[in-house]
Amino acid sequence: MAKPRPQRWSPLTCLAPASLSPSGLILLESNDGEVETLVRTNAELRYDGSGPLPLPGTSATAPKAHWNDRDVALSCHVTTHRIVFLDEKDVVGGAIPLPLIESAQAAGGPSFRSPRASYKVELSTHAWGNLTVVFRGGETSS
């Protein structure tokens, strides 16, 4: 039985749900040839729009959770089909299918004045507007 999504309202919970195994691992679409190419830990997902994203899966009479425009301590998994964000603590995953990404642009990163600045990728999506992925010195694996 699938674990219900936690009662939180953030960019991660508004993305397309990612299928997870009972142990919390991402289930790849192997029948469609999906392959995981990169994993990065300690990522942050930010929503850059004005106002919150729509709360998924609720009725008009349901009480709304408090909107939080960022998720922290995520792992970011890049596959051949999508970008998957996973909160391993709460076992919640959200995905951005690659066809829904209009553009991706590098931003931020270390400089002479800010040597410890984090690398960022700004995503413009067709479904969720502008999202920013911040990489806060996590581990990389491929």
Side-chain angles (χ1 to χ4, degrees), residues 15-77:
L15 296 179
S19 298
L20 304 176
S21 71
S23 61
L25 300 174
I26 297 168
L27 295 176
L28 298 174
E29 298 171 2
S30 56
N31 59 337
D32 200 20
E34 183 177 28
V35 177
E36 185 173 77
T37 59
L38 178 78
V39 177
R40 183 74 190 251
T41 61
N42 203 20
E44 186 175 303
L45 180 64
R46 299 177 182 172
Y47 174 63
D48 297 331
S50 60
L53 288 167
L55 184 60
T58 60
S59 66
T61 60
K64 290 193 175 185
H66 175 70
W67 168 250
N68 185 2
D69 67 352
R70 66 185 61 195
D71 290 286
V72 297
L74 304 176
S75 59
C76 177
H77 304 253

Side-chain angles (χ1 to χ4, degrees), residues 1-7 90-92:
M1 185 163 118
K3 184 177 178 180
R5 291 191 123 164
Q7 294 297 320
D90 292 334
V91 192
V92 178

